[in-house]
Amino acid sequence: MIQDLFQKVRNRAIPLSPAALDVKPDIPENLLYKCPRCQTVIFMEDFALNNKVCDKCGYHARLSVPERLNITVDEGSFVEYDAAMQSGNPIQFDDYTDKLRRLKKVTGLNEAIVTGECTIRGQRCVIGIMDSRFMMASMGSVVGEKITRAFECAAEKKLPVVLFTASGGARMQEGMVSLMQMAKTAGAVALHSKKGLLYITVLTDPTTGGVTASFASLGDVIIAEPKVLVGFAGRRVIEGTIRQRLPDDFQSAEFLMEHGFVDMIEDRSHMRKTLSRLLRLHSQGKEAAQ
Ligand SMILES: [Zn+2]
């Protein structure tokens, strides 16, 4: 009799036809998110509520400008600078104009950075946020110009600057014009610094190339999100040049903190509080000095 029962179970296990295998389960798109680091599958809604941080391993996914603004600035306080500024094609690079047009449509942004003025828990500052969806937030003439203007404006208004960096480096489609932005932005940071004003950099994933080699490394306080990639040249290029194997955690925020390039690693959920505290401490110091 027991054997009969097992027989019944076996009979039910009929192999599916190839046509049946093609039927996709009725799961709405974007319902689930698979963490690329620990492979945990999370409901997208929970992931979004957790500011796109995996609650199993702490992986910090990249954020768009609207998402970053939403979790950083006080509601309704953000006023954008130079919103309409757009890149030309200074060296007539093939397909560059079309690519820019496509990206503007997809991202809803005019360029890879948004700058403006806001308050963070009541502390007024100039803010800049880079968006890796737009040509990997590479720095061309408009990114450089918007950053320069943001620092000049902050210097004039005597405001601190908070910059969230994320970039693949200089924008090759603009050739030498993009490389010039390194010196230009560094000059604007120096102008702001000479007035004794605070500049906080927040390094997010990934911050590399000419951006690391200019304004991203010039903050008075350099904060990084956990485990983000920060570097200049890529690992393979360096290993090929120096003919040595690099440590596994090379170019991670933790490695850079250990070697003195980063001052603080802060979780996304505490970032707003930490920024407002730093801004407040600095403004108090300035008031006392006056
Ligand atoms: Zn994870």
Side-chain angles (χ1 to χ4, degrees):
M1 192 177 162
I2 288 171
Q3 265 182 342
D4 286 351
L5 272 174
F6 279 111
Q7 191 61 45
K8 278 176 192 164
V9 172
R10 269 204 299 274
N11 287 345
R12 257 184 247 138
I14 302 161
L16 289 168
S17 67
L21 285 170
D22 276 348
V23 177
K24 288 185 179 152
D26 191 18
I27 298 173
E29 249 180 75
N30 297 329
L31 181 72
L32 301 170
Y33 176 80
K34 189 175 182 184
C35 172
R37 189 185 297 149
C38 72
Q39 313 297 317
T40 302
V41 177
I42 318 161
F43 276 111
M44 191 55 103
E45 200 183 335
D46 294 339
F47 185 55
L49 281 173
N50 204 27
N51 299 330
K52 291 200 168 177
V53 176
C54 170
D55 59 2
K56 287 277 183 299
C57 71
Y59 171 74
H60 282 52
R62 293 170 190 173
L63 294 184
S64 65
V65 166
E67 288 169 333
R68 184 73 69 180
L69 272 175
N70 195 31
I71 63 167
T72 308
V73 309
D74 296 339
E75 204 179 336
S77 72
F78 180 69
V79 179
E80 190 174 355
Y81 293 162
D82 307 307
M85 200 185 287
Q86 299 182 45
S87 294
N89 190 352
I91 61 166
Q92 301 305 310
F93 196 92
D94 277 356
D95 297 331
Y96 183 41
T97 309
D98 289 341
K99 196 168 186 177
L100 288 172
R101 197 180 301 128
R102 274 199 307 277
L103 282 166
K104 279 179 208 168
K105 214 171 172 183
V106 172
T107 61
L109 302 172
N110 275 335
E111 251 300 336
I113 190 166
V114 167
T115 55
E117 214 173 299
C118 69
T119 57
I120 300 175
R121 286 164 64 115
Q123 301 299 314
R124 202 156 156 248
C125 64
V126 167
I127 192 167
I129 301 172
M130 303 182 85
D131 194 320
S132 60
R133 295 173 305 156
F134 201 105
M135 292 190 80
M136 209 50 229
S138 53
M139 177 163 63
S141 50
V142 168
V143 170
E145 181 65 18
K146 284 178 95 168
I147 289 170
T148 304
R149 287 186 186 202
F151 274 99
E152 286 174 352
C153 199
E156 204 179 303
K157 294 185 175 181
K158 296 191 167 44
L159 287 175
V161 176
V162 176
L163 249 182
F164 286 84
T165 65
S167 183
R171 188 172 296 176
M172 55 169 265
Q173 289 86 344
E174 294 193 18
M176 186 55 86
V177 178
S178 72
L179 294 178
M180 279 167 54
Q181 307 309 316
M182 291 169 65
K184 187 166 111 180
T185 52
V189 174
L191 175 96
H192 181 257
S193 180
K194 275 180 194 155
K195 296 216 167 184
L197 298 163
L198 177 69
Y199 168 32
I200 303 173
T201 319
V202 184
L203 308 174
T204 72
D205 192 57
T207 297
T208 61
V211 166
T212 308
S214 58
F215 63 89
S217 302
L218 296 173
D220 299 305
V221 181
I222 300 180
I223 309 175
E225 288 194 321
K227 300 207 167 65
V228 295
L229 172 79
V230 182
F232 181 62
R235 166 186 284 269
R236 266 179 299 175
V237 174
I238 302 171
E239 284 184 336
T241 307
I242 63 172
R243 293 167 198 276
Q244 279 179 40
R245 184 161 157 63
L246 296 165
D248 288 340
D249 59 348
F250 182 68
Q251 294 183 330
S252 69
E254 289 70 14
F255 183 89
L256 293 174
M257 175 134 165
E258 212 174 292
H259 292 81
F261 285 91
V262 165
D263 299 307
M264 186 191 297
I265 294 172
E266 191 58 283
D267 199 89
R268 192 169 286 165
S269 59
H270 299 137
M271 192 64 81
R272 185 170 137 82
K273 200 173 170 185
T274 301
L275 287 173
S276 71
R277 190 179 294 162
L278 285 168
L279 292 168
R280 196 178 64 246
L281 284 172
H282 187 76
S283 67
Q284 284 171 350
K286 283 185 79 63
E287 279 160 19
Q290 279 167 3

